[in-house]
Amino acid sequence: MSEGTTPSTTKPARVRYAPSPTGDPHVGNIRTAVWAWLHARHTSGQFLVRIEDTDQSRKQPGSEERILASLEWLGLDWDEGPDIGGPFGPYVQSQRLPLYHAAVERLLADGNAYPCFCTPEELDALRERQRAEKRPPGYEGKCRVIPREEAAARAASEPHVVRFAVPDEGTTVAVDLLRGPIEVENSTLDDFVILKSDGYPTYHLAHVVDDHEMEITHVTRGDEWIPSMPRHALLFDALGYERPIFVHTSIILAPGGGKLSKRHGAKSMLEYAEDGYLPDAVLNFLCITGWGYGDETVMSREQLIDVFEIENIGLNPATFDMEKLAWLNGVYIRQTPIAELAELIARRLEVDLPPEVPRPLDRALVEEVTPLIQERIQTLAEVKDLVDFFWAPEVPVPAAEEFLQKKWKDRAEAASFALARSADVTDALDPFEAAPLEEQLRALADELEVKAGDLFTLIRLAVTGRRVSPPLFETMEIVGQGVCVDRLRAASAYLAG
Ligand code: GLU
């Protein structure tokens, strides 16, 4: 019985994120990367990115680029990776085939592996028989008994795979950092494939070779790999490699349990970017989904690096709480310094505003508008609908029904008069500033014997074209005296018929 060796968890760690380029990484997958990155940064170690593309048939064009873009967006910087290289490169498995072939040769030479010539049809038939006889599935070692010379001679010309020869007897104990030792009888493990007939290694072999060659200390990955861990442990041992520390992370569930669907937030990172989330908020949120530090919720990147302990990752599946994410995002938006937030808003508006608005947007105007909405938004996606009128070449007068509601129902003439008087008051103000403007318009409401709120609704509709806007008087100050007066008069004339 062997447990392998377990390096300490406090030394500078070398941790990798090893996605397969088969699509866009989803939140659970990225959360594992977040934790891996935090562990590397917490221990002043290194974070690596390795692309696992040994299953060439599942490769998706553009996936690698989007994976790297996702990490970049989240601010998970990597010290070694496919684009920047590093001392143990290349960092793409399909470019490392000779390394895997050398490992296979060693395993063959040591009698820890053998070529298997069984055809897919034979393997199907075996599976059928096992099902019929209610026996567990798995390769039963037909080719294991072929004498070594004969096997080598056949392998030179016949299609084959290479299988790992699992010891017949004994037990293998593999340790997961969070779960402790997991023990299996070797007799329950079949001789799994390590090299496919196309010459590509399987995941099992490739990642073991790479994790060794790249001096990885912690293998962090989803818990779907737990059943394979003993096989990997056997491979590490047979190749004479020191075993890394295995850390298997639990899945993220939908609220109320069950699989996380798109509706519950199972989106790719780049979709979160599009939906107007801030990277720091998403990083914070993902980190505390399944890991915690007392009752802390809002934790900066620096604080997370400081206090993150990989050993404290929770074993129970965490629930994905979209509302918490939106709330956190609002918190981060409010914490962002105005100039920085204004730049984010400007870039967002340059995407969202209609094409006739000239780009680049005037940053000074965005900086004036930003404080008016900072407290009111949870995501950047909400910005456009709140403020687009600032950039509209013209704000059309809303339909009469919009004005003539509640207090103004059937009172077009009175509404028209109130708007005309508002235009006069607005026109007369000098200097044109929010506070005195509010004072004057409140006085006008008294004079007209209407509630201030009812008058302001008319003014808001005339000036911004909508019922909901940033605070009215600050908005008017930014829109400018002349434009406000024009819009108020236009609305008044319109209602007068
Ligand atoms: N390529 C594997 C996956 O994407 C990586 C698992 C691992 O991190 O070892 O599931």
Side-chain angles (χ1 to χ4, degrees), residues 114-126:
Y114 59 91
C116 167
F117 306 94
C118 293
T119 61
E121 294 72 34
E122 281 177 275
L123 296 174
D124 283 347
L126 171 65

Side-chain angles (χ1 to χ4, degrees), residues 16 18-20 29 52 203 207 219-221 224-225:
R16 86 297 194 274
S20 300
N29 188 276
E52 301 206 326
Y203 162 71
H207 92 278
V219 168
T220 52
R221 58 183 175 192
E224 69 273 19
W225 293 111

Side-chain angles (χ1 to χ4, degrees), residues 39-53:
H39 184 54
R41 296 292 169 253
H42 176 72
T43 60
S44 305
Q46 287 94 40
F47 179 66
L48 287 65
V49 177
R50 180 174 77 221
I51 300 295
E52 301 206 326
D53 62 345

Side-chain angles (χ1 to χ4, degrees), residues 318-366:
T319 304
F320 197 86
D321 186 346
M322 272 303 284
E323 273 170 38
K324 189 178 191 176
L325 172 58
W327 172 81
L328 255 179
N329 207 61
V331 170
Y332 275 84
I333 284 181
R334 293 194 288 283
Q335 282 180 357
T336 306
I338 289 291
E340 212 177 294
L341 182 60
E343 185 53 34
L344 295 175
I345 287 178
R347 281 191 231 148
R348 179 77 199 194
L349 286 171
E350 283 171 350
V351 174
D352 290 352
L353 285 175
E356 53 276 17
V357 177
R359 274 76 167 167
L361 296 188
D362 173 12
R363 290 327 198 234
L365 175 55
V366 184

Side-chain angles (χ1 to χ4, degrees), residues 146-331:
I146 302 174
R148 214 187 287 182
E149 274 87 90
E150 186 190 331
R154 283 179 64 184
S157 60
E158 279 179 50
H160 63 281
V161 301
V162 177
R163 290 181 184 274
F164 182 73
V166 175
D168 287 326
E169 284 166 6
T171 58
T172 297
V173 181
V175 184
D176 174 89
L177 180 70
L178 309 176
R179 294 165 178 78
I182 294 176
E183 185 174 340
V184 294
E185 301 283 333
N186 291 335
S187 59
T188 64
L189 303 173
D190 75 340
D191 291 348
F192 54 96
V193 175
I194 54 175
L195 189 71
K196 297 179 281 185
S197 55
D198 62 2
Y200 279 86
T202 57
Y203 162 71
H204 302 305
L205 178 75
H207 92 278
V208 164
V209 169
D210 289 343
D211 286 342
H212 169 75
E213 294 286 337
M214 296 178 179
E215 300 182 1
I216 296 302
T217 58
H218 294 69
V219 168
T220 52
R221 58 183 175 192
D223 61 4
E224 69 273 19
W225 293 111
I226 290 178
S228 308
M229 182 170 62
R231 292 188 172 86
H232 303 158
L234 284 168
L235 268 175
F236 276 102
D237 296 353
L239 286 162
Y241 300 160
E242 187 179 2
R243 293 187 198 172
I245 296 174
F246 296 104
V247 186
H248 290 94
T249 58
S250 300
I251 56 166
I252 304 181
L253 295 177
K259 194 173 169 330
L260 194 63
S261 68
K262 201 143 181 147
R263 181 166 62 90
H264 297 122
K267 292 185 286 194
S268 73
M269 275 308 99
L270 299 181
E271 285 175 284
Y272 276 102
E274 269 168 38
D275 291 347
Y277 288 87
L278 303 191
D280 280 14
V282 175
L283 178 88
N284 185 162
F285 171 74
L286 288 177
C287 182
I288 62 170
T289 299
W291 174 89
Y293 186 69
D295 294 332
E296 302 272 338
T297 309
V298 184
M299 296 174 83
S300 70
R301 193 172 285 263
E302 293 68 35
Q303 195 182 357
L304 288 171
I305 291 175
D306 203 34
V307 303
F308 180 76
E309 297 287 351
I310 199 167
E311 294 89 342
N312 295 341
I313 290 175
L315 275 184
N316 293 332
T319 304
F320 197 86
D321 186 346
M322 272 303 284
E323 273 170 38
K324 189 178 191 176
L325 172 58
W327 172 81
L328 255 179
N329 207 61
V331 170

